[in-house]
Amino acid sequence: MKIITVNSATDSFGLIADSAINLPGRPVFLPDIPEVPAWSATFYLAVRISRLGKTIREKFAPRYFDRMSLAMRLLPVDTDGKAIEAIAAVSDFALTLGEWTDIPAEDFSVTANGHTLEVAGAGALICRSIERLSRIATLKIGDILLLPLEIPAGEVSIGNSFEGSVGGEPLLNCRIR
């Protein structure tokens, strides 16, 4: 299984270790890493791949995913506020996935951390991402694509709690310890 972050702005992808997944409902423990002065959180729309495929054309991409969720990822940041990607990619339990749900047929709203974001054209973005990614890697059943959401989370500290919902349906609940 692969966990792949999709950055459509820079047309790039990133891989996250599968050990980064924290099960829904479980608290997230901030790692005690001396090289990391602070942690921040990023929210994603998570999409689960349901079919094996390579070189998938955009018009056929809807056949290759079946469920979605919200995800919250802890990112270590340096003193300048930039993510330390070398640590972020391999941190255990740094990615919390919410409950999986059907993908809405229409535009929907995402609420996370008290902020609401209207998501329009998510299906088209997912299909374009699958087409681009499948040219360079085989997508397998169970792979997870993470599409970033423009929802501010700020610095994370012990005691914080993050919640998220899609169209009013609660999917994500995460406590930081």
Side-chain angles (χ1 to χ4, degrees), residues 70-84:
L70 290 180
M72 193 268 312
R73 181 180 177 202
L74 287 180
L75 291 174
V77 292
D78 61 18
T79 54
D80 296 329
K82 293 182 186 175
I84 305 171

Side-chain angles (χ1 to χ4, degrees), residues 73-128:
R73 181 180 177 202
L74 287 180
L75 291 174
V77 292
D78 61 18
T79 54
D80 296 329
K82 293 182 186 175
I84 305 171
E85 287 298 329
I87 296 173
V90 296
S91 294
D92 287 344
F93 307 113
L95 177 69
T96 300
L97 293 171
E99 300 295 329
W100 293 102
T101 187
D102 293 330
I103 298 172
E106 302 172 358
D107 298 345
F108 55 92
S109 63
V110 174
T111 303
N113 200 30
H115 299 278
T116 301
L117 175 71
E118 293 298 322
V119 179
L125 177 61
I126 294 167
C127 291
R128 280 193 303 275

